[in-house]
Amino acid sequence: MGLGEFASASAALCWACSSIMYGRTRLNAWSINFAKNLFGVGYVFLHLLVIWLLTMGSFLYFSFSAWTYLIISGLIGIAVGDTLYFRSLQILGPRRSLVVSTTAPIFGAILGWAMLGEVISPTSMIGIVITIAGIAVVVSDKRARAESPGHFPGAEWLGVVCGLFAAFCQAAGGAISKIAMQECTPLEATFVRLLAAVVFAIVVFRASGQLSETTQKIFRKNNLRLLLPASALGTWIGIWCSQIGFYYTSVAIATLLMSTSPLFAIPLVRFFDGHRISARAIWGTLIALGGIA
């Protein structure tokens, strides 16, 4: 494995760990996304500041078109995509929502072909069918419904739809950010994308008159205990690793390895939440990942 592949797999592990913590947070999906982006942009800014102090180089100095691509990428992939993922997480639970998100490589391959000229072979079509079949096996497992956190319940079909749209948005955001990373580093791309998502959330909450109330809820001690480490793992390290993956390997391969989060989630859900994972759920996960491969 090269640097891009290793970084992509590391991102998957970070997201599996952070999903467990986000699932326990008693905030709605918009608020969780706002919090993780707010703390994440702080972590990344400190990271950039340390690099600048060590090298005294220039940062965030790239063309207007690159800024535009990164802002659009942040709005689509992080502001919208991650909010939809958190809603899916609240309905389906960490493991099943991560399995639904394995559709990201399908969208990534299609978008990589449409936007970046990356090749899709006929074999990929077979993989798509296998992946969808594996997801259907996992989502239809009635015993897995106990894994839902229960804070903000909803219909299972809504959780699946939110997860699918989230996967599409995240794949689109990754493909767009790869265009911009011809002029900037992965860490700079991460910072701009997160910053765009934070500004967008502030505007939305401000317009709805909920900015003060949402901020107060985020900074409650019981929420900070979950949000701070989850943001460090999932938003700072996870997204940074994902940008490194997109930079050093193809969109399809990067999204493939990032979608192995369900494999990491199986032992995490068993250990931290005590949920028994059925053989059907494990086989469905392996079938889905086999289709991606």
Side-chain angles (χ1 to χ4, degrees):
M1 286 175 52
L3 178 59
E5 289 79 8
F6 179 79
S8 299
S10 298
L13 174 59
C14 289
W15 290 335
C17 294
S18 62
S19 291
I20 301 295
M21 290 181 273
Y22 286 132
R24 297 180 177 183
T25 305
R26 295 179 178 271
L27 295 171
N28 61 42
W30 271 108
S31 299
I32 293 175
N33 196 23
F34 175 46
K36 68 97 175 168
N37 292 334
L38 184 64
F39 296 136
V41 81
Y43 288 130
V44 175
F45 174 76
L46 291 175
H47 192 160
L48 282 171
L49 182 61
V50 169
I51 294 177
W52 180 78
L53 291 173
L54 292 175
T55 64
M56 298 303 292
S58 61
F59 288 99
L60 304 179
Y61 187 73
F62 32 87
S63 68
F64 176 78
S65 62
W67 274 92
T68 303
Y69 280 125
L70 290 174
I71 290 172
I72 295 173
S73 171
L75 295 178
I76 295 174
I78 298 178
V80 178
D82 286 0
T83 298
L84 291 171
Y85 169 72
F86 287 132
R87 187 66 188 119
S88 176
L89 172 66
Q90 291 174 336
I91 297 173
L92 301 177
R95 186 183 59 81
R96 288 198 296 168
S97 62
L98 286 170
V99 172
V100 174
S101 72
T102 57
T103 53
I106 297 173
F107 298 121
I110 295 171
L111 291 168
W113 166 75
M115 299 172 60
L116 304 173
E118 296 176 354
V119 178
I120 297 181
S121 67
T123 309
S124 297
M125 301 305 298
I126 299 174
I128 289 172
V129 174
I130 295 173
T131 300
I132 294 173
I135 292 171
V137 170
V138 173
V139 173
S140 62
D141 185 3
K142 295 181 179 180
R143 287 172 293 181
R145 293 176 181 173
E147 298 177 18
S148 175
H151 306 323
F152 296 88
E156 289 207 341
W157 67 265
L158 179 61
V160 174
V161 170
C162 286
L164 290 174
F165 274 104
F168 173 78
C169 290
Q170 289 161 358
I176 295 170
S177 70
K178 182 163 185 175
I179 298 173
M181 280 192 291
Q182 297 174 7
E183 301 182 31
C184 64
T185 67
L187 190 62
E188 289 175 314
T190 301
F191 178 77
V192 175
R193 294 181 73 209
L194 286 172
L195 186 61
V198 168
V199 172
F200 175 76
I202 291 175
V203 171
V204 171
F205 282 120
R206 183 74 175 178
S208 62
Q210 297 179 339
L211 181 59
S212 177
E213 179 185 356
T214 302
T215 305
Q216 290 176 6
K217 290 180 180 179
I218 287 171
F219 282 90
R220 288 175 183 170
K221 184 182 294 185
N222 59 329
N223 287 327
L224 285 177
R225 289 175 180 173
L226 295 168
L227 290 170
L228 286 174
S231 298
L233 276 175
T235 312
W236 171 33
I237 301 175
I239 294 183
W240 180 36
C241 286
S242 74
Q243 294 298 139
I244 294 174
F246 284 127
Y247 186 79
Y248 285 103
T249 188
S250 71
V251 170
I253 292 176
T255 48
L256 156 65
L257 292 171
M258 291 174 206
S259 295
T260 57
S261 289
L263 289 181
F264 295 110
I266 289 174
L268 290 173
V269 167
R270 181 70 180 94
F271 181 78
F272 288 105
D273 294 335
H275 294 301
R276 291 184 176 274
I277 311 299
S278 66
R280 174 178 177 172
I282 295 174
W283 276 111
T285 302
L286 292 175
I287 290 171
L289 294 176
I292 296 166

PDB file of all heavy atoms in Angstrom, residues 23 94 138 185 192 248 263 287 289:
ATOM      1  N   GLY A  23     -22.958   8.974  17.565  1.00  0.00           N
ATOM      2  CA  GLY A  23     -24.236   8.304  17.771  1.00  0.00           C
ATOM      3  C   GLY A  23     -24.766   8.474  19.178  1.00  0.00           C
ATOM      4  O   GLY A  23     -25.977   8.395  19.408  1.00  0.00           O
ATOM      5  N   PRO A  94     -24.657   3.232  14.156  1.00  0.00           N
ATOM      6  CA  PRO A  94     -23.354   3.433  13.514  1.00  0.00           C
ATOM      7  C   PRO A  94     -23.005   2.409  12.448  1.00  0.00           C
ATOM      8  O   PRO A  94     -22.565   2.770  11.357  1.00  0.00           O
ATOM      9  CB  PRO A  94     -22.362   3.356  14.689  1.00  0.00           C
ATOM     10  CG  PRO A  94     -23.168   3.560  15.905  1.00  0.00           C
ATOM     11  CD  PRO A  94     -24.542   3.079  15.612  1.00  0.00           C
ATOM     12  N   VAL A 138     -27.845  -6.330   4.927  1.00  0.00           N
ATOM     13  CA  VAL A 138     -27.557  -5.726   6.229  1.00  0.00           C
ATOM     14  C   VAL A 138     -28.733  -4.885   6.721  1.00  0.00           C
ATOM     15  O   VAL A 138     -29.168  -4.998   7.875  1.00  0.00           O
ATOM     16  CB  VAL A 138     -26.282  -4.858   6.146  1.00  0.00           C
ATOM     17  CG1 VAL A 138     -26.082  -4.093   7.457  1.00  0.00           C
ATOM     18  CG2 VAL A 138     -25.071  -5.728   5.868  1.00  0.00           C
ATOM     19  N   THR A 185      -2.201  21.850  -0.742  1.00  0.00           N
ATOM     20  CA  THR A 185      -1.953  20.620  -0.011  1.00  0.00           C
ATOM     21  C   THR A 185      -3.266  20.047   0.516  1.00  0.00           C
ATOM     22  O   THR A 185      -4.262  20.770   0.644  1.00  0.00           O
ATOM     23  CB  THR A 185      -1.009  20.876   1.173  1.00  0.00           C
ATOM     24  OG1 THR A 185      -1.683  21.716   2.131  1.00  0.00           O
ATOM     25  CG2 THR A 185       0.274  21.549   0.718  1.00  0.00           C
ATOM     26  N   VAL A 192     -10.118  24.738   4.176  1.00  0.00           N
ATOM     27  CA  VAL A 192     -11.041  25.569   3.403  1.00  0.00           C
ATOM     28  C   VAL A 192     -12.414  24.899   3.328  1.00  0.00           C
ATOM     29  O   VAL A 192     -13.455  25.562   3.466  1.00  0.00           O
ATOM     30  CB  VAL A 192     -10.485  25.832   1.989  1.00  0.00           C
ATOM     31  CG1 VAL A 192     -11.509  26.591   1.146  1.00  0.00           C
ATOM     32  CG2 VAL A 192      -9.186  26.618   2.065  1.00  0.00           C
ATOM     33  N   TYR A 248      -3.173  11.271  -3.497  1.00  0.00           N
ATOM     34  CA  TYR A 248      -2.130  10.333  -3.919  1.00  0.00           C
ATOM     35  C   TYR A 248      -2.644   9.081  -4.633  1.00  0.00           C
ATOM     36  O   TYR A 248      -1.843   8.256  -5.064  1.00  0.00           O
ATOM     37  CB  TYR A 248      -1.297   9.898  -2.710  1.00  0.00           C
ATOM     38  CG  TYR A 248      -0.350  10.970  -2.237  1.00  0.00           C
ATOM     39  CD1 TYR A 248      -0.633  11.722  -1.102  1.00  0.00           C
ATOM     40  CD2 TYR A 248       0.832  11.252  -2.921  1.00  0.00           C
ATOM     41  CE1 TYR A 248       0.237  12.719  -0.657  1.00  0.00           C
ATOM     42  CE2 TYR A 248       1.700  12.237  -2.493  1.00  0.00           C
ATOM     43  CZ  TYR A 248       1.396  12.966  -1.362  1.00  0.00           C
ATOM     44  OH  TYR A 248       2.253  13.948  -0.924  1.00  0.00           O
ATOM     45  N   LEU A 263     -16.232  -2.564   8.596  1.00  0.00           N
ATOM     46  CA  LEU A 263     -15.435  -3.659   9.158  1.00  0.00           C
ATOM     47  C   LEU A 263     -14.868  -3.272  10.523  1.00  0.00           C
ATOM     48  O   LEU A 263     -14.845  -4.081  11.455  1.00  0.00           O
ATOM     49  CB  LEU A 263     -14.295  -4.028   8.203  1.00  0.00           C
ATOM     50  CG  LEU A 263     -14.690  -4.730   6.905  1.00  0.00           C
ATOM     51  CD1 LEU A 263     -13.445  -5.047   6.083  1.00  0.00           C
ATOM     52  CD2 LEU A 263     -15.459  -6.014   7.198  1.00  0.00           C
ATOM     53  N   ILE A 287     -20.150  -9.005   1.837  1.00  0.00           N
ATOM     54  CA  ILE A 287     -20.607  -9.007   0.443  1.00  0.00           C
ATOM     55  C   ILE A 287     -20.532  -7.603  -0.154  1.00  0.00           C
ATOM     56  O   ILE A 287     -20.057  -7.411  -1.286  1.00  0.00           O
ATOM     57  CB  ILE A 287     -22.058  -9.541   0.369  1.00  0.00           C
ATOM     58  CG1 ILE A 287     -22.083 -11.048   0.672  1.00  0.00           C
ATOM     59  CG2 ILE A 287     -22.660  -9.293  -1.021  1.00  0.00           C
ATOM     60  CD1 ILE A 287     -23.481 -11.603   0.843  1.00  0.00           C
ATOM     61  N   LEU A 289     -18.615  -5.075   0.784  1.00  0.00           N
ATOM     62  CA  LEU A 289     -17.223  -4.688   0.593  1.00  0.00           C
ATOM     63  C   LEU A 289     -16.578  -5.479  -0.543  1.00  0.00           C
ATOM     64  O   LEU A 289     -15.723  -4.963  -1.265  1.00  0.00           O
ATOM     65  CB  LEU A 289     -16.435  -4.893   1.898  1.00  0.00           C
ATOM     66  CG  LEU A 289     -16.846  -3.975   3.049  1.00  0.00           C
ATOM     67  CD1 LEU A 289     -16.083  -4.328   4.311  1.00  0.00           C
ATOM     68  CD2 LEU A 289     -16.594  -2.513   2.682  1.00  0.00           C
TER      69      LEU A 289
END
